[in-house]
């Protein structure tokens, strides 16, 4: 066989490339299986490239050249394999069709050129060789893709298993995994008689941080908390995130040698330093946590966690930033509290709230100057509930905003009625921090004043000292807007917070209400009397009225008057009254009323008290003759 004949045959094949491809595509179209047009176009490209490659090989450019040209076919096969657009058997069928069509064209060309049979045999062998190489490469492409898909699937399965058992945000074990670990710990505890404990950690006021700084900062804080908690527990302890701002630590064996309380103290200490958040740590966030501890073997992990959760809630109710160990009876308390919260949801709609009024007096003239409106709850089946039992729940649920607006409307309407009857007394209404944190308060005050017709100067809004200092700049802005309406501002429970002379000057304050804790300890003398004097003088220096709260004993009244405190209120004068009883009280009140000391003698007899209230004073609770 002459090399020239094989070269001529290769050139003829190259010229008839389109014919080879057309025959191949026609046979594929006639088959029982048709593929998407884009896939068939890929096979068209494979047929063209493969035909050109084998033709150049026959033309004398060598097998290496043919392989180089055929690289494009292998790339297409790899793409088909990765996209899974054609099954391996369909790809193989099309390769065989290309071979058959190429051999047909070669036979026709060899006959037309009058070439020897030996030349055609060599050419046919070269086509088969090209097909063999192509099939091997094609199978390798599909095998590579299968292996890659398997590895990806395995990786994805591992990822799904991790996500199913770990928290996506912090990477800590989630509730599912923590429960499993607790079950394992309980089994070991039963077998080895070793102690076990679960510590339920819940951040204090996290929702307020989330709402004020944004969810992005909130998520960053949760990650920082998780990292810090991991840094203070032992390697043998398990830390997990239960969801939201709740974390759990599970400890056993030697970790509890000194008691779970030591672990709780370490966890609380982890919150001692602020968390530096943001890209450069420019945002400092202070956050504390409440911790509930449950120890001892339980029937299930759910029970151990439930008891720890109950103890955590009791810790929060007791003042937050503390820990408590679960005790029997706590569950009943939590259940009762939950029932109270549920009843509060409908209390306003069902008109179960009502107001009572605590009179305030000018301590120099002993005449009434106004009243403080106080809320009470007549709970169905439970009677009247005192405010300390339900106001914290109103604040936690944010119902205090709507209830506070109702108090404003109701109290202003009553005070306006008294003024129209000729009793020009002032009205004080307490405002919670949640109310002051929203712009709704300004509208609520406007609505209450407009609806009642009460003069703005007759209304005083009482704000606790801690509320005043919680967000000083924003608080000052809102108080300024309220003052523009003409109402007065009083600082309630003054002396228990963080105010100083410089702080008070930031706010448009009209009245300082001195906390009852100072008044109740006046009889002890010394420091308490000095503190009272200092607070009164502070008010005078700032030209702010002072009101002493919680006056219950005649001797306290005398000392307070000696310190020249402007106003006072307390049980010595009267307990909070309904609106009707307040009418009767004011009608019967006399500035010459006298008070007496009770139970000052061993026999329990009352001892008359001459508190410089006037020489014509008589018996406590009665007017002078």
């Amino acid at each position: 066989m002459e090399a020239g004949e094989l070269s001529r045959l290769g050139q003829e094949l190259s010229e008839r490339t389109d014919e080879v491809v057309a025959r191949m595509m026609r046979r594929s179209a006639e088959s029982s299986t048709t593929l998407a047009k884009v896939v068939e176009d890929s096979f068209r490209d494979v047929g063209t490239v493969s035909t050109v490659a084998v033709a150049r090989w026959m033309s004398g450019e060598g097998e290496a050249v043919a392989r180089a040209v055929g690289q494009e076919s292998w790339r297409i096969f790899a793409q088909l394999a990765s996209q899974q657009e054609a099954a391996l058997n369909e790809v193989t069928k099309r390769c065989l069709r290309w071979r058959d069509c190429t051999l047909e064209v070669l036979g026709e060309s060899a006959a037309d050129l009058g070439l020897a049979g030996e030349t055609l045999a060599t050419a046919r062998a070269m086509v088969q060789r090209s097909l063999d190489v192509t099939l091997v490469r094609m199978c390798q492409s599909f095998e590579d893709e299968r292996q890659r898909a398997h590895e990806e699937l395995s990786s994805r399965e591992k990822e799904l298993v991790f996500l199913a058992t770990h928290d996506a945000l912090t990477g800590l074990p989630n509730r599912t995994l923590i429960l499993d670990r607790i079950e394992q710990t309980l089994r070991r505890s039963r077998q080895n008689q070793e102690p076990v404990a679960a510590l339920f950690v819940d951040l204090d006021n996290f929702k307020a941080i989330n709402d004020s700084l944004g969810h992005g900062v909130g998520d960053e804080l949760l990650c920082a908390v998780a990292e810090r908690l991991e840094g203070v527990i032992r390697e043998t302890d398990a830390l997990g995130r239960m969801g939201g701002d709740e974390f759990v630590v599970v400890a056993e064996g030697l970790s509890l040698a000194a008691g779970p309380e030591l672990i709780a103290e370490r966890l609380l200490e982890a919150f001692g330093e602020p968390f530096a958040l943001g890209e450069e740590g420019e945002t400092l966030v202070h956050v504390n946590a409440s911790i509930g501890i449950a120890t001892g073997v339980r029937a299930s992990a759910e029970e151990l966690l439930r008891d720890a959760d109950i103890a955590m809630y009791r810790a929060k109710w007791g003042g937050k930033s503390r820990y408590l160990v679960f005790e029997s009876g706590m569950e009943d308390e939590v259940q009762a509290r939950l029932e109270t919260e549920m009843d509060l949801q409908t209390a306003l709609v069902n008109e179960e709230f009502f107001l009572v009024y605590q009179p305030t007096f000018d301590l120099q003239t002993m005449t009434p100057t106004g009243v403080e409106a106080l809320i009470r709850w007549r709970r169905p089946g439970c009677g009247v509930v005192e405010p300390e039992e339900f106001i914290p729940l109103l604040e936690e649920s944010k119902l205090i905003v709507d209830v506070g607006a109702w108090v404003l409307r109701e109290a202003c309407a009553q005070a306006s009625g008294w003024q129209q009857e000729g009793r020009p007394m002032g009205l004080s209404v307490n405002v919670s921090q949640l109310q002051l944190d929203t712009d709704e308060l300004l509208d609520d005050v406007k609505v209450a004043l407009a609806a009642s017709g009460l003069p703005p100067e007759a209304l005083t809004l009482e704000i606790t000292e801690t509320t005043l200092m919680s967000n000083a700049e924003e608080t000052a802005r809102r108080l300024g807007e309220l003052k523009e309406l003409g109402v007065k501002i009083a600082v309630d429970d003054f002396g228990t917070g963080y105010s100083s002379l410089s702080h008070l000057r930031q706010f448009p304050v009209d009245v300082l209400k001195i906390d009852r804790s100072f008044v109740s300890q006046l009889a002890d003398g010394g420091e308490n009397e000095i503190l009272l004097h200092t607070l009164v003088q502070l008010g005078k220096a700032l030209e702010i009225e002072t009101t002493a709260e919680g006056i219950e004993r005649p001797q306290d009244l005398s000392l307070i008057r000696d310190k020249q405190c402007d106003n006072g209120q307390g049980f010595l004068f009267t307990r909070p009254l309904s609106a009707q009883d307040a009418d009767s009280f004011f009608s019967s009140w006399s500035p010459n009323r006298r008070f007496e000391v009770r139970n000052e003698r061993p026999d329990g007899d009352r001892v008359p008290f001459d508190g410089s209230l006037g020489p014509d004073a008589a018996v406590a609770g009665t007017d002078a003759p």
Side-chain angles (χ1 to χ4, degrees), residues 78-98:
Q79 183 178 10
L80 290 171
S82 64
Q83 295 177 352
Q84 299 181 357
E85 294 177 335
L88 180 59
N89 64 323
E90 288 299 324
V91 177
T92 303
K93 288 178 183 179
R94 281 158 177 75
C95 290
L96 294 175
R97 287 170 190 152
W98 168 81

Side-chain angles (χ1 to χ4, degrees), residues 418-485:
W418 279 327
Q419 291 215 350
Q420 293 171 17
E421 294 170 1
R423 300 187 190 281
M425 294 182 299
L427 168 70
S428 295
V429 176
N430 292 283
V431 174
S432 74
Q433 181 172 339
L434 282 176
Q435 288 176 274
L436 194 60
D437 284 344
T438 69
D439 291 325
E440 294 177 27
L441 178 60
L442 186 65
D443 294 333
D444 291 340
V445 173
K446 289 179 180 178
V447 169
L449 291 174
S452 64
L454 183 70
E457 61 273 15
L459 175 61
T460 299
L461 301 178
E462 295 191 10
I463 300 161
T464 64
E465 188 176 6
T466 51
T467 295
L468 192 72
M469 300 307 301
S470 64
N471 187 350
E473 184 176 344
E474 191 67 13
T475 298
R477 178 185 70 80
R478 287 200 171 96
L479 292 183
E481 293 175 347
L482 290 167
K483 283 289 292 182
E484 290 177 2
L485 297 179

Side-chain angles (χ1 to χ4, degrees), residues 330-384:
M330 282 186 178
E331 186 174 3
D332 293 337
E333 292 180 20
V334 170
Q335 182 62 34
R337 185 180 174 102
L338 290 175
E339 292 175 357
T340 302
E341 290 177 352
M342 292 178 63
D343 289 348
L344 278 173
Q345 296 291 328
T346 57
L348 185 59
V349 175
N350 294 339
E351 300 181 349
E352 295 167 8
F353 293 120
F354 66 96
L355 298 182
V356 292
Y357 299 90
Q358 178 80 54
T360 303
F361 297 85
D362 182 318
L363 295 185
Q364 302 310 310
T365 64
M366 295 306 297
T367 56
T369 58
V371 293
E372 179 182 356
L374 302 171
I375 189 171
R376 298 291 186 268
W377 178 26
R378 188 176 288 107
R379 185 182 179 189
C382 300
V384 176

Side-chain angles (χ1 to χ4, degrees), residues 300-312:
S300 68
E302 289 281 5
E303 288 188 19
L304 188 66
L305 274 185
R306 180 203 62 196
D307 291 349
D309 192 19
I310 290 172
M312 181 274 295

